[in-house]
Amino acid sequence: MPDVTKVLLLLKSMVYESTSPQETLRFARYYRKKGLDVVVVLFGPMGVIMAKSGKKGLPEYDSKIKECLDMGIKFRCCELGASVIGLEKAELMPEIEMISSYEIADLFLEFCEQGQLIITL
């Protein structure tokens, strides 16, 4: 089995009523500090809310996501999940890429084939 060099973190849970978003961002920063490439996929109607720019409330997720982006962590937002809640690409934080469900499925295959780490929180 190859050494783990990449981590795929998946967030689908409710943003403001769960610890999953905080844990996802903490895991992302932890693995990045260890030198791993980190991709965070926000999917499902609730997970994609994290990608929206200008969110209100506590914790202040926009600043936490910006910190992750500044560290080189990549964020991807599921187009299908976004469409379910009416979230448009123009509403995303600028550094977050919108991708299709098929691209997410391809990420699963890529990470599995390479023996890399996939975590759902």
Side-chain angles (χ1 to χ4, degrees):
M1 181 195 275
D3 290 335
V4 174
T5 59
K6 300 189 307 187
V7 179
L8 181 63
L9 291 165
L10 308 167
L11 176 65
K12 189 175 182 179
S13 296
M14 186 72 169
V15 173
Y16 291 104
E17 296 180 9
S18 167
T19 60
S20 293
Q22 293 175 51
E23 291 165 349
T24 299
L25 297 175
R26 286 180 181 157
F27 276 41
R29 288 191 307 268
Y30 174 80
Y31 286 123
R32 186 68 191 126
K33 287 177 183 175
K34 290 214 164 267
L36 303 177
D37 291 330
V38 179
V39 177
V40 177
V41 175
L42 308 168
F43 72 116
M46 294 296 106
V48 299
I49 291 172
M50 287 287 285
K52 187 177 186 322
S53 182
K55 291 177 288 307
K56 305 291 185 223
L58 294 173
E60 295 179 3
Y61 284 116
D62 283 8
S63 63
K64 293 180 182 299
I65 291 171
K66 180 70 173 125
E67 177 186 337
C68 289
L69 289 164
D70 290 345
M71 294 174 71
I73 296 167
K74 297 177 183 88
F75 284 80
R76 304 292 183 257
C77 178
C78 176
E79 184 177 49
L80 177 61
S83 71
V84 169
I85 63 166
L87 182 64
E88 301 286 331
K89 186 175 182 177
E91 296 177 272
L92 300 183
M93 295 178 73
E95 302 90 345
I96 296 179
E97 181 183 344
M98 183 87 76
I99 63 173
S100 71
S101 298
Y102 299 110
E103 290 171 287
I104 295 170
D106 285 341
L107 282 173
F108 291 150
L109 287 174
E110 173 190 329
F111 276 68
C112 283
E113 288 170 350
Q114 297 174 3
Q116 301 301 311
L117 188 58
I118 300 174
I119 301 172
T120 302
L121 294 167

